[in-house]
Structures are given as C-alpha cells and as structure tokens.
C-alpha cells in the first residue's frame, strides 16, 4: 500500500521537496529559540550590555519572521500538494468506474461510489499532505530536542524521558481503536449517502405514495448509525487527547520540580533551566503532532484501502489485447450457440443461434423475463456472453475494440435518460462535436423542431434533472434525435414506445421508421401492432427462440405468436 501511495507523489516531486525542506526549517528554528534564550539569560544578562541584548532580540525577531514564512509555505504549498494528489486519484477513480460493466453497477449503490469519490479522497488528500512531513518532522524534533536536553543536563533529560513510553503506549492503543472506529464511520457514511441518493432520486415516487414518513424512518435509522460511529470515533479521540495532555502537563510539573532541585544544588543555571522548560514544550510537541496524525491517519488509511479495493476491481468486460478498431460496420449480425445468465447457476439464454442480415429489421417478442432485452444487451457487450460467440460482419465482438463496437450501435430505450443540461447538450450527446445546424436537422427528423422553436430559450432550454420538464414523448423524440446525430449502422429499439399514448406512439413510430431505414434494426416490443411490418419476428421464450418468421407466417403457424396476437386483439 505504501509503495502504491508514494507513486502519486512522483508528478509533484519538486513541490514535495520544497514543502519538506520548509517543514525541516520550521523544526530547526523551533530548536534554536530555547538555545538563544539560554544564551541571553546566562551570558548576555550577567554582562549587562543592553545593546548586545537588543541585537540578540532582533536576531530572535528575524527567526520568528523566517519561521512564519516557512509556516505559510508548509501550510499553503503542502495543502496544494495534497489537493493535487487527491485530484489525480479522483480522476483515475472516475475513469476506472466508467470502465466497470453493467454487472458491477447493478450490484453496487451509487451513494457508495459518491462517498469513494468525495469523502474518502478528501481524507486521503489530508494524509498525503500531513502524513510524510509530520511524521518525519515529529521524529526529527523529538530526537533533536532530546539531544539538546542531554547537552544541557543529562540527569534532567533522562528523568523527562521516563514519561515517553507511557505516551507512546497511549498513542498506539488509541490508533488501533481509532482505525476500527473510522472504518465503521466510513461504511456508515456510505450507507447514509446511498439512502439520501435513493430518496431524493425517487422523490416523485415517495410523494406519489405519500411514503415520506416511511423514508424518514429509514433515513433516521441510517442517520443514527452514522451518528453513533462518529460519536465513537470522537470519544476515542477525546480520551487520547485528554490522557496525552495530562501526561505532558504532569511531566512539565515534574521537570519544574526537578529543575528547581538542581538549581538549589547548584548544578543547573537559570538560563539552562529556562531553556530546558522551553525545550520540554518542543520535546512534547511531536507527541501532539502524532496525536493529530492519529485523527487523520485512520481516515486516510481506511479511505485509501477502499480506493485501492475499487481500483483493483477488474472490469469483467475488457478489450482483448488483439482487439481491432471497426471503422464502419456493414450490419451483419450472427449469434452462435450463445449462452448467458446473470447468475451462473441460472442461465437466461442457452444455445441461441440467430443470423441477421445487414439492413434487416428483426423484432423480438415474448413473455417478460424470457431474455429479449438481454439478447440485445449482449451485442454491445454491456454483459459478457458465457458461451458461444456473437459476430458483427463476421468478426467476433470480443475481437473488436469496445468503444468502436459501441459506436456502431445506437440504442433507443423506453426509459430515456436525460442529463440536467440544455436540449442542445442532450441532443448533441449523440455526436459531441456536432454543429448547430446538425442538431437542428436531427431535431427536425425526430419531429422536435416545432416544439423547440416554441420555447423561449429554444435549444438552450434546461430540461431539469433526468429531463423532468419534458413529457415522455418529448424525451423519446430527443432520444431519437441523438440517434440521427450518431448515425449508427445498427439500431436497437427497446420497447421505445410502449409507455406512450396511442397518438404520440403513432407520431414517434414515423420517426423510428425513418431512423431504421437502411440500418440493421433490432426491435424489442410487447405491442405486436408496432412490429407487424418487421422483416422478421422472433418469438423468445424460456426455451429460447421458439418461432420466427413474418407476421403473416407466424399467424399461420398458430403457435405462441398467434396466441399473443389473439390475446392482444381480444384485449383491444
């Protein structure tokens, strides 16, 4: 872990070096102050030369100015170093999270990922700044001050050192307790974030069912657990600080009494005694610094462990070393003995054989849960097939560079996701470098032009979070406009109109027909009326592909499809 942590310092070696040197300078100047006081009291005061004393005071004042400047550099540049490392880690983590497959995101909460990207990395940044220099400076100050104390008076220095083992015992004991408490606190924080994200994201559902009180109870439960974890960590922190404070003050009193005894015995001068008292404060300051590290180190350590755990999560779908870029697909698709299941012990699809010609429109129908959407989701490798192979233009999709494969495929779903930006930004997501005229052309072809022109802000209209300001039909048209911009040779329509009213559905179907023209199109539908003109209809059941043919051919078979058609016709 330490080796991997140090790796993040490499781009900022110069900044770290300057900060570290300034921190060493601060520690050395702290040691110089007691020695100057000792010199003034024991050497200059007996001489009675006021001008020399003034010059010594001026030198001390200069040291304070120098020390203040070094303190500023350590604080400002040191935190910049921590922020730089934190920012790099956040960018690396965000990039990695985007590579993780649908399987990972299906099984993990968004709130936990947000906690990893925010709270954990903030604490890591603090440790990145304070950790190395604080530990080194604490050790250097501790050894340096004790060496000077030995130089002044060996007996008194050794007596002072007697308290150190007790202090370190407190530090180590509390550090172990704090690490466990911080680990628990961060887990509770992630659960808390996940709860808030779920409730706020589903606020319309919560209010529609008048379940605010239920959500409040769930929130209070997670909130209380988070509070208890924080209270425990602060209780340990309080015990550690109180015991350390008591031990250090007892030691100061002990030094005061022993020093007074040595002065009475004539073995210690007043100047040495004053310097020794000042050095005692310097001597115990590393202990205080280590106590401060105890507060931040367990947080950063726990955060970094979770960071590494997430970074070490290998994407279960990756580019093969020999994968090649596909510039422009023709559109032929072949499924050969394909098998897949979300759970290895419960296969959804098995022994699927299917061949789709370029430009052909193929519709998938069948009962819910039979695997229609899964069958189409395997094509862009949202999930990895477990058996067999899928080929595009005769090339196994695992041998195609993933991003280039997905550029060949456009997907229009029933549940359209909208970013909380403008109409222009959401349409342009289909082609990020599209010119305004291209955006308008896509909107026109998706029958959105008149709607946008009627808005005061036009394309600059903000759609709201997840597109709440748009109707279902408007969101579907916007999704279609994205596809016109993307212009993929392969198109997947996943129940794209099933949630719409009849009039809106008919209007959007016209746009979909235009969109599908000249493309290989895979349509998932429950309403058979929307796919009766498909080149081929494939009936998918729990047994696999049970029937396939045109609408008329399947009706003549009087099988599963005919039963579905009859049921829908009777229902209508």
């Amino acid at each position: 872990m330490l080796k991997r942590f140090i790796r993040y310092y490499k781009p900022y070696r110069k900044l770290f070096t300057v900060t570290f040197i300034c921190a060493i300078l601060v520690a050395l100047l702290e040691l110089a102050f007691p020695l100057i006081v000792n010199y003034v009291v024991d050497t200059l005061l007996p001489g009675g030369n006021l001008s020399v004393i003034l010059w010594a005071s001026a030198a001390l004042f200069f040291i304070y100015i120098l020390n203040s400047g070094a303190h500023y550099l350590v604080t400002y540049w040191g935190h910049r170093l921590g922020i730089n490392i934190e920012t790099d880690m956040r960018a690396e983590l965000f990039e990695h999270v985007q590579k993780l497959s649908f399987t990972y995101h299906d099984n993990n909460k968004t709130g936990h990922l947000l906690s990893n990207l925010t709270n954990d990395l903030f604490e890591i940044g603090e440790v990145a700044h304070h950790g190395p220099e604080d530990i080194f400076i604490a050790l250097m100050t501790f050894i340096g001050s004790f060496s000077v104390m030995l130089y002044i008076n060996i007996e008194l220095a050794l007596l002072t050192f007697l308290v150190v083992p007790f202090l370190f015992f407190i530090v180590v004991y509390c550090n172990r307790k704090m690490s466990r408490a911080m680990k628990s606190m961060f887990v509770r924080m992630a659960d808390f974030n996940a709860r808030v994200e779920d409730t706020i994201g589903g606020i319309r559902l919560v209010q529609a069912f008048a379940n605010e009180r239920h959500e409040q109870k769930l929130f209070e439960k997670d909130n209380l657990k988070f509070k208890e974890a924080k209270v425990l960590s602060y209780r340990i922190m309080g015990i550690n600080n109180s015991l350390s404070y008591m031990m250090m003050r007892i030691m100061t009193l002990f030094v005061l009494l022993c020093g007074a005894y040595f002065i009475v015995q004539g073995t210690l001068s007043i100047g040495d005694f004053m310097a020794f008292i000042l050095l005692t404060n310097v001597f115990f300051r590393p202990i205080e610094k280590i106590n401060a590290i105890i507060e931040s180190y367990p947080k950063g350590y726990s955060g970094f462990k979770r960071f590494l755990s997430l970074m070490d999560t290998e994407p279960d779908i990756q580019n093969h070393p020999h994968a090649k870029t596909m510039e422009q697909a023709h559109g032929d698709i072949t499924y050969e003995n394909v098998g897949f299941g979300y759970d290895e012990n419960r296969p959804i699809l098995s022994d699927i054989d299917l061949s789709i010609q370029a430009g052909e429109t193929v519709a998938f129908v069948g009962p819910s849960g039979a695997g229609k959407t899964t069958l189409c989701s395997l094509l862009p490798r949202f999930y990895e097939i477990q058996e067999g192979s899928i080929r595009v233009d005769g090339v196994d999709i695992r041998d195609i560079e993933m991003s280039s494969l997905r550029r060949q495929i456009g997907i229009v779903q029933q549940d359209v996701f909208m970013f909380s930006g403008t109409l222009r930004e959401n349409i342009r997501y289909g082609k990020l470098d599209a010119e305004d005229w291209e955006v308008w052309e896509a909107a026109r072809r998706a029958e959105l032009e008149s709607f946008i022109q009627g808005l005061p802000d036009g394309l600059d209209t903000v759609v709201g979070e997840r597109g709440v300001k748009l109707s279902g039909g408007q969101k579907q048209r916007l999704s279609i406009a994205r596809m016109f911009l993307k212009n993929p040779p392969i198109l997947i329509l996943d129940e794209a109109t099933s949630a719409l009213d009849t009039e809106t559905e008919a209007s959007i179907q016209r746009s979909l027909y235009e969109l599908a023209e000249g493309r290989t199109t895979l349509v998932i539908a429950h309403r058979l009326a929307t796919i009766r003109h498909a080149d081929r209809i494939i009936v998918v059941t729990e047994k696999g592909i049970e029937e396939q043919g045109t609408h008329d051919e399947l009706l003549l078979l009087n099988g599963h499809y005919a039963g579905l058609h009859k049921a829908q016709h009777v229902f209508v």
Side-chain angles (χ1 to χ4, degrees):
M1 283 183 65
L2 183 60
K3 185 177 180 181
R4 294 179 69 175
F5 189 67
I6 290 172
R7 178 172 65 87
Y8 291 97
Y9 285 90
K10 289 183 178 179
Y12 310 105
R13 284 189 292 262
K14 291 181 181 178
L15 187 59
F16 175 76
T17 302
V18 172
T19 307
F20 205 77
I21 290 172
C22 288
I24 293 172
L25 181 62
V26 168
L28 291 175
L29 292 176
E30 286 287 338
L31 292 174
F33 175 64
L35 295 175
I36 293 173
V37 170
N38 173 279
Y39 177 70
V40 170
V41 173
D42 276 356
T43 305
L44 299 183
L45 278 179
N49 191 331
L50 191 59
S51 63
V52 176
I53 293 174
L54 287 173
W55 276 109
S57 299
L60 196 57
F61 179 69
F62 175 75
I63 288 174
Y64 280 140
I65 292 175
L66 189 62
N67 211 4
S68 297
H71 264 295
Y72 169 78
L73 294 178
V74 169
T75 303
Y76 175 62
W77 284 0
H79 278 102
R80 280 192 61 179
L81 171 67
I83 291 168
N84 288 341
I85 290 173
E86 176 189 343
T87 303
D88 289 350
M89 286 183 171
R90 185 173 291 118
E92 187 177 338
L93 185 59
F94 185 75
E95 182 183 1
H96 180 71
V97 166
Q98 290 190 98
K99 294 177 182 177
L100 298 176
S101 70
F102 281 18
T103 302
Y104 177 86
H105 292 289
D106 290 345
N107 296 320
N108 289 274
K109 295 180 179 180
T110 303
H112 285 201
L113 291 175
L114 289 175
S115 185
N116 290 136
L117 285 162
T118 54
N119 301 317
D120 286 359
L121 288 174
F122 172 78
E123 299 298 344
I124 293 170
E126 286 295 297
V127 171
H129 161 41
H130 291 291
E133 68 186 40
D134 280 6
I135 292 173
F136 180 81
I137 300 308
L139 290 173
M140 192 185 77
T141 306
F142 184 80
I143 294 169
S145 59
F146 186 65
S147 300
V148 177
M149 290 165 74
L150 284 172
Y151 173 75
I152 293 173
N153 189 292
I154 294 176
E155 293 89 346
L156 190 54
L158 292 175
L159 288 170
T160 306
F161 193 76
L162 289 176
V163 76
V164 173
F166 296 101
L167 283 172
F168 271 106
F169 172 76
I170 293 170
V171 167
V172 172
Y173 175 78
C174 290
N175 184 43
R176 289 178 179 174
K177 291 282 187 181
M178 186 70 80
S179 293
R180 287 194 289 268
M182 287 300 167
K183 182 179 180 180
S184 173
M185 187 180 80
F186 277 114
V187 170
R188 299 303 183 197
M189 185 185 295
D191 290 338
F192 174 82
N193 288 340
R195 171 59 55 197
V196 173
E197 196 271 337
D198 275 351
T199 303
I200 300 302
I203 192 64
R204 285 167 179 76
L205 184 66
V206 173
Q207 293 181 357
F209 282 87
N211 279 341
E212 291 90 344
R213 187 58 198 154
H214 170 70
E215 290 298 326
Q216 186 67 31
K217 287 179 180 178
L218 294 176
F219 174 83
E220 287 172 358
K221 184 179 178 182
D222 286 325
N223 199 23
L224 184 61
K225 288 180 179 178
F226 183 32
K227 172 191 168 185
E228 289 171 351
K230 289 196 77 171
V231 167
L232 175 61
S233 66
Y234 284 123
R235 183 164 66 86
I236 296 169
M237 192 186 302
I239 292 170
N240 175 48
N241 290 342
S242 299
L243 289 175
S244 298
Y245 176 84
M246 183 183 71
M247 293 296 292
M248 286 187 283
R249 294 304 171 258
I250 288 174
M251 196 61 234
T252 302
L253 181 60
F254 181 66
V255 169
L256 190 64
L257 292 174
C258 290
Y261 172 78
F262 286 126
I263 288 173
V264 171
Q265 293 297 314
T267 57
L268 187 70
S269 68
I270 298 294
D272 285 344
F273 179 62
M274 289 182 67
F276 209 96
I277 290 293
L278 293 171
L279 281 166
T280 302
N281 292 328
V282 177
F283 179 69
F284 286 121
R285 199 162 293 154
I287 307 297
E288 294 175 344
K289 193 173 282 289
I290 289 172
N291 282 337
I293 293 171
I294 284 178
E295 294 179 22
S296 62
Y297 171 76
K299 298 177 185 177
Y301 176 77
S302 299
F304 192 60
K305 280 190 73 175
R306 279 187 297 278
F307 171 81
L308 291 184
S309 176
L310 187 49
M311 289 299 298
D312 290 341
T313 301
E314 288 290 334
D316 52 353
I317 301 176
Q318 301 185 53
N319 283 321
H320 286 201
H322 57 272
K324 296 180 180 179
T325 302
M326 177 173 278
E327 295 298 336
Q328 183 66 30
H330 183 58
D332 292 319
I333 301 169
T334 307
Y335 288 74
E336 296 178 356
N337 301 316
V338 170
F340 174 79
Y342 297 103
D343 184 340
E344 291 183 2
N345 299 319
R346 295 178 58 192
I348 302 291
L349 303 169
S350 58
D351 298 324
I352 298 295
D353 289 301
L354 178 63
S355 181
I356 301 170
Q357 302 299 314
E360 187 179 11
T361 296
V362 175
F364 296 90
V365 298
S368 297
K372 302 183 298 296
T373 299
T374 301
L375 193 66
C376 293
S377 296
L378 294 174
L379 179 60
R381 292 186 74 192
F382 291 152
Y383 301 94
E384 193 77 293
I385 59 174
Q386 292 157 356
E387 296 175 2
S389 66
I390 300 176
R391 298 179 180 276
V392 173
D393 295 346
V395 182
D396 193 311
I397 58 173
R398 289 166 293 193
D399 295 330
I400 303 171
E401 198 269 327
M402 205 160 5
S403 60
S404 74
L405 169 67
R406 291 172 180 173
R407 280 195 293 269
Q408 311 303 318
I409 304 168
I411 303 174
V412 180
Q413 296 173 304
Q414 175 185 340
D415 184 17
V416 180
F417 185 87
M418 296 284 115
F419 293 98
S420 56
T422 64
L423 286 168
R424 176 187 282 103
E425 290 166 345
N426 273 283
I427 295 174
R428 192 176 276 164
Y429 208 75
K431 182 183 176 185
L432 296 176
D433 59 350
E435 300 289 343
D436 266 7
W437 69 266
E438 294 178 282
V439 174
W440 275 112
E441 177 62 16
R444 184 192 63 77
R445 297 180 70 184
E447 298 189 12
L448 266 177
E449 187 177 30
S450 59
F451 163 70
I452 296 172
Q453 288 174 340
L455 297 171
D457 295 325
L459 283 172
D460 294 318
T461 301
V462 176
V463 301
E465 189 171 6
R466 295 180 182 269
V468 294
K469 296 182 180 180
L470 303 178
S471 69
Q474 288 162 353
K475 286 195 282 189
Q476 283 291 4
R477 287 191 180 96
L478 196 148
S479 178
I480 293 167
R482 281 179 185 166
M483 287 305 111
F484 276 120
L485 268 186
K486 185 177 182 180
N487 193 28
I490 299 171
L491 186 64
I492 298 173
L493 305 177
D494 189 353
E495 300 187 48
T497 61
S498 62
L500 305 176
D501 61 85
T502 305
E503 185 179 351
T504 304
E505 180 183 25
S507 173
I508 288 178
Q509 280 293 346
R510 291 197 300 270
S511 299
L512 289 176
Y513 289 146
E514 182 180 350
L515 179 62
E517 191 175 344
R519 307 177 201 273
T520 304
T521 306
L522 283 62
V523 184
I524 302 166
H526 281 300
R527 297 185 188 178
L528 303 186
T530 63
I531 48 96
R532 62 183 301 160
H533 298 298
D535 297 319
R536 189 162 27 131
I537 298 170
I538 296 174
V539 181
V540 182
T541 67
E542 290 81 358
K543 299 176 183 178
I545 296 176
E546 193 166 314
E547 300 171 359
Q548 56 179 306
T550 64
H551 172 76
D552 294 333
E553 288 171 349
L554 291 176
L555 287 180
L556 290 174
L557 284 176
N558 200 27
H560 195 102
Y561 180 82
L564 288 173
H565 183 267
K566 187 179 296 183
Q568 289 193 15
H569 182 72
V570 170
F571 180 76
V572 173

